Each structure stands twice: as structure tokens, then as C-alpha cells.
Amino acid sequence: MLDQLVEHLKAATDSGQPEKTIKTLLKAFVEQPEQAKSAMPDFDQDEAILFEDDQISIWYCRFQPGTSVPPHNHNMSAFIGVFHGTERNDMYERGDKDILKPLKSTDIHAGEVLSIAPDAIHGVTCTSAEPSEAIHVYLGALSCVDRDLYDMEHGTVLAFTDANYSQLTQDKN
Ligand SMILES: [Fe+2]
């Protein structure tokens, strides 16, 4: 089931309407959350790249309860399909002097899909008592683009690196 989803998502990039097709595929995958969860291998890591090429990146993303990852951009369209727990997405826009202005927060529950515009900035928090688990899809090679991370405490913009990401990720446990 997971392999099939990955193949269908890859094919979606040639569909002429990749955004619409990806959203439909993700919705169909997560709308029976328990079935989706049972289709997942037991990942050792909280993040796993299931596939990446120039057209599309497909990730498994798990966030532990209370964990918040810092606001960041993707510079490409992104889609989040949650199949376990709840992933809160806090959306922002850039204000003066790199200060981020909050736009809105959306709780994505198991069975729901969120689409994010290429220029969007979001932070993610797991708000459920159990870890949140989701498939994240990006229309491009996510590991190859320059991206920004936002340090909310200091009002600064940092390069998106593993080190900066880890340093700014908050574990409230
Ligand atoms: Fe993200």
C-alpha cells in the first residue's frame, strides 16, 4: 500500500495537474487512518525519505508529543497528509526586519490533508498525546534547495541546516 502510494505520487508529477492529483492521492491514503498506519513499516527515525528526484520528494514525518519544529519555508508546494495523532501547523508571513507575523494555526488531525503554497512559512507542533505521523510531499527536490529557518526568539533568519534545525527544535517534555 505504501509502495503503491509512492508510485502513484511519482506518476502525479506527469499528470498535468500535480497539485490536485497529489492532494487527492494523499486524502485517499489517510482517510482510513488505521489502515494507513498499518501499511507503514516501523521506522527507527522520526523522519524518512521515501523517495526524491527533481520532481518530487516524499517523506514520512513523525513528531513526538509536545515537540515543535521552527518556522521554515520549502520554496516549493507542499502537502501534508496525517494518519495518526494531530500536527498543528502555524503559518507565518515575513514582516519588517525578518520578524515573522503569525497568520493562522491549523490542527491537522488523522485523516486530513493540508496544502501549503510554495512561498509559505510554517512551524509544526505535535499537539496530540501520541506522536503525530504523516506523509509529507514536496513538488521538487527538497534536499537540494536553499531554505530558511526562523529563530523566533532572536528574530533572525538562519540557513536551513541539520544543525540549525536541531538546535531550534523544541522538545517540551
Ligand atoms: Fe515543513
Side-chain angles (χ1 to χ4, degrees):
M1 187 179 173
L2 178 59
D3 290 347
Q4 196 179 39
L5 174 68
V6 170
E7 290 307 313
H8 287 164
L9 288 168
K10 286 159 65 177
T13 59
D14 293 325
S15 70
Q17 291 184 302
E19 284 92 350
K20 188 176 173 200
T21 307
I22 289 168
K23 199 168 178 184
T24 301
L25 287 167
L26 272 183
K27 182 69 185 164
F29 185 72
V30 302
E31 70 183 357
Q32 292 179 296
E34 287 173 13
Q35 193 177 331
K37 184 163 171 52
S38 66
M40 286 290 150
D42 282 331
F43 290 103
D44 294 338
Q45 308 278 333
D46 282 342
E47 292 185 334
I49 301 178
L50 304 176
F51 180 79
E52 181 177 305
D53 69 5
D54 289 347
Q55 305 295 314
I56 192 167
S57 304
I58 306 168
W59 287 60
Y60 163 79
C61 295
R62 179 171 61 210
F63 299 105
Q64 299 298 328
T67 297
S68 290
V69 302
H72 57 271
N73 56 13
H74 308 108
N75 291 326
M76 61 185 72
S77 295
F79 309 84
I80 297 171
V82 176
F83 59 87
H84 189 68
T86 304
E87 195 190 297
R88 191 184 76 216
N89 272 248
D90 299 310
M91 312 303 297
Y92 299 90
E93 67 179 357
R94 224 164 151 155
D96 294 338
K97 299 178 184 172
D98 297 333
I99 303 293
L100 288 188
K101 292 197 290 187
L103 290 176
K104 67 171 185 175
S105 294
T106 307
D107 275 325
I108 318 172
H109 304 97
E112 297 176 340
V113 175
L114 179 74
S115 303
I116 300 178
D119 61 349
I121 300 167
H122 79 154
V124 177
T125 298
C126 172
T127 53
S128 48
E130 296 178 282
S132 62
E133 293 180 86
I135 300 292
H136 290 201
V137 180
Y138 310 89
L139 264 182
L142 190 68
S143 69
C144 299
V145 296
D146 289 333
R147 302 160 60 201
D148 299 318
L149 269 178
Y150 295 85
D151 182 338
M152 297 294 280
E153 189 181 341
H154 300 101
T156 53
V157 186
L158 306 174
F160 194 114
T161 62
D162 287 346
N164 286 340
Y165 184 81
S166 296
Q167 192 183 353
L168 292 175
T169 295
Q170 294 178 20
D171 180 354
K172 300 214 170 70
N173 294 311

